Amino acid sequence: MKMMMNKISPKSLCLILAHTLYWSCLIHIGESTSTYSEHACTNSTASASTLSQDATYLANLNLLLSYLNSNATNDAGFYQTTVATGTQDASTGLFQCRGDITASLCRECVLNASREVLKRCPQEKQAVIWYDVCWIRYQDSSIFLPNPGIVPSTSLQSSETVREAERFNKLLAGVMDALANKAANSGSVKKFATAENNFTSSETLYSLAQCTPDLSAADCNTCLRSAIGFFPQCCSSKRGGAVFLPSCIVRFEFYPFFNSTTTPSISTDQVPLSAGKGKKSIITIIAIVGPISVVLVVFLIGFCFLRNKAKKIKKYLSLQRQDSVRNEISKGETFQFAMVEIKTATNNFSDENKIGRGGFGEVYMAWELWKEGTFLELLDPTLRNSFSRNEVVRCIHMGLLCVQENPVHRPTMATIVLMLNSYSAILPPPQQPALYNHNRTQSSTTTTGEHQFHQSMPNSSQWSANDGSMITEVYPR
């Protein structure tokens, strides 16, 4: 697998990713995602505190919501449980997913709803939040209140109205009556039913009804008919509407908002979807997502092309710089100083300016000038009016650190790079360089350590300038 990846060029990999992104967008055009609809919050009359004031109940509620999330992939699409049963801080809750959605979409919806409900009901201990494909309900007791889940209630409606309002309202009433009976008396675990009915030759009415399975058939019927009873108030003559109760929902639209291939439907005089609003909705989605996908593909291709081109240019410039340096060195134009310049700088190699000697020559007066605070005298006189004092001092300082006698005190190359690039790096004070002659005017006077060192060295190798010896013996860092 690794060998195959090495053979794929960056350009080809970008094309593969762009192709995958494009088709992923097209595949997911028709896949639904959970969308917030409504919520209702309340506190029971027996509760003496709000949610934020009751830390124990809040902890139990968070635990309850986590239990709901972890069980959101079961096949039933429903789960109910209680935390701290029988105590005054008990929390009971449930989730219900719509009967036509997948387990993955159910889990997504429950997760989103459990996060959103605490934001929208931060002080209340009882709440219901409805999404288009699921809802969550909880309250501060060990059981739900003894009613078929009809309080509180909320509704949504379309802003558009239908033609032939009287005929439409009559059709809707008949469809919803049939749906309530079918959902309440469903033999399956899901008390769920849908319907598709022809309104005109070019319009189809899509309807849905569902109860939570903890209700009996009678309670489910009561809940659904309570919800349908709100239609004349909220949704009369509208092209869409929904009523949400804690234990049931009813909804109708003039476009297919549910998956009819996985739900039991009541159908009369159905017409092809291409003639209804559903087809227009799909076309609209494709018209929006299609161009966006194309733009993303073009952007990815352009980005990959420019990145590869930039790499080639960078490599070319790097090779050019290397060739230029080689040419300068080969011509002998780099790192050269005239002998007269060297003699002038060292006062004709005077011993007065010498602080040590090694295999690469003599080290001159930097340490002495550093101690005296006159280190700028090291500069060529022609440069003394065109330099940065801080940079010169820092370079001399680093040079002295590099010739410390103890290898541990010498900076590493990584530290040198840091010192050169960052003025925030603090440089330690330099100490006397290795084998520095303390009394240059009396060269015969040496310290005890120096005397012992000289005695320990063979006479033929002491202070040799040509035998490859260094200022000090080489100790590995």
Side-chain angles (χ1 to χ4, degrees), residues 23-262:
W23 284 107
S24 295
C25 290
L26 292 183
I27 289 171
H28 288 87
I29 284 175
E31 184 174 319
S32 300
T33 56
S34 58
T35 305
Y36 165 79
S37 296
E38 280 290 340
H39 72 281
C41 315
T42 184
N43 274 319
S44 64
T45 55
S47 178
S49 61
T50 63
L51 179 59
S52 60
Q53 295 172 338
D54 194 337
T56 303
Y57 176 74
L58 179 58
N60 291 340
L61 176 58
N62 285 321
L63 185 59
L64 170 70
L65 294 175
S66 70
Y67 287 161
L68 297 182
N69 285 326
S70 62
N71 286 276
T73 56
N74 63 53
D75 294 334
F78 170 83
Y79 183 74
Q80 177 177 325
T81 189
T82 301
V83 174
T85 304
T87 68
Q88 62 178 4
D89 295 309
S91 179
T92 298
L94 62 80
F95 74 80
Q96 175 67 67
C97 288
R98 214 171 63 188
D100 61 317
I101 67 171
T102 62
S104 60
L105 182 55
C106 176
R107 179 174 176 79
E108 175 197 326
C109 184
V110 172
L111 179 62
N112 292 338
S114 62
R115 291 172 177 171
E116 190 68 19
V117 69
L118 292 178
K119 297 177 183 178
R120 296 183 180 268
C121 303
Q123 299 297 330
E124 293 79 11
K125 294 184 177 182
Q126 299 181 11
V128 188
I129 185 167
W130 294 273
Y131 274 57
D132 59 340
V133 293
C134 77
W135 70 91
I136 283 181
R137 175 189 179 192
Y138 61 80
Q139 66 182 44
D140 54 338
S141 64
S142 296
I143 57 173
F144 283 120
L145 297 176
N147 67 62
I150 60 175
V151 177
S153 63
T154 186
S155 60
L156 294 174
Q157 66 280 331
S158 171
S159 59
E160 301 178 5
T161 57
V162 298
R163 300 185 303 272
E164 302 181 78
E166 185 177 352
R167 188 170 70 87
F168 167 73
N169 290 333
K170 184 178 180 179
L171 172 64
L172 181 62
V175 169
M176 285 300 174
D177 181 70
L179 276 179
N181 287 328
K182 186 169 183 64
N185 296 290
S186 173
S188 65
V189 176
K190 300 177 181 179
K191 291 182 167 60
F192 177 77
T194 61
E196 300 175 24
N197 302 89
N198 180 37
F199 177 56
T200 68
S201 59
S202 61
E203 294 177 308
T204 301
L205 177 66
Y206 299 87
S207 308
L208 176 149
Q210 183 173 13
C211 291
T212 55
D214 60 323
L215 298 184
S216 65
D219 283 344
C220 177
N221 202 327
T222 300
C223 185
L224 290 174
R225 294 192 182 279
S226 296
I228 295 170
F230 282 97
F231 276 161
Q233 303 173 28
C234 73
C235 313
S236 178
S237 306
K238 298 296 184 180
R239 293 189 62 86
V243 175
F244 306 106
L245 301 184
S247 293
C248 66
I249 59 170
V250 289
R251 182 181 176 186
F252 69 91
E253 303 287 353
F254 273 95
Y255 62 88
F257 63 92
F258 54 80
N259 184 3
S260 60
T261 61
T262 61

Side-chain angles (χ1 to χ4, degrees), residues 377-409:
E377 293 183 12
L378 287 171
L379 283 177
D380 190 303
T382 60
L383 298 177
R384 289 181 181 176
N385 295 322
S386 58
F387 66 90
S388 169
R389 185 180 188 280
N390 290 337
E391 291 184 1
V392 171
V393 172
R394 197 170 182 83
C395 288
I396 296 173
H397 194 160
M398 286 187 284
L400 291 171
L401 291 176
C402 289
V403 294
Q404 295 297 291
E405 183 167 11
N406 189 339
V408 175
H409 296 158

